[in-house]
Amino acid sequence: MTEVPAWLLLTLGVAVIAVEIAAILTRKKGDTISERLRALLGIRPRRWWRPIGIIVVCALASWFVIHLIFN
């Protein structure tokens, strides 16, 4: 597997931060990335797949931490 270029990661990070800042400054409910992710995974508002969404988020976070430490 090849490494991802630093400039690409930096560009992605800047884009995410720009979207998040724009959403926060507009003060429109449901615009931030975390609010969109919660809605997509069914965590808020409550949906039938809420437990699955929570498990998916926890699993991805756990995998990412393990991946960072051991790879």
Side-chain angles (χ1 to χ4, degrees):
M1 189 159 127
T2 63
E3 284 190 32
V4 177
W7 65 267
L8 183 61
L9 292 175
L10 184 62
T11 304
L12 179 62
V14 169
V16 167
I17 290 171
V19 168
E20 190 71 14
I21 288 174
I24 290 171
L25 292 177
T26 60
R27 297 177 190 245
K28 189 175 177 184
K29 187 174 170 103
D31 268 357
T32 62
I33 294 171
S34 56
E35 289 171 325
R36 295 282 182 185
L37 186 60
R38 283 187 202 110
L40 178 67
L41 295 174
I43 297 171
R44 249 184 236 145
R46 187 172 290 224
R47 303 271 193 252
W48 65 267
W49 61 82
R50 178 181 183 176
I52 297 169
I54 293 171
I55 290 169
V56 167
V57 169
C58 290
L60 286 173
S62 299
W63 168 82
F64 190 63
V65 169
I66 292 168
H67 175 73
L68 288 176
I69 293 172
F70 295 109
N71 283 344

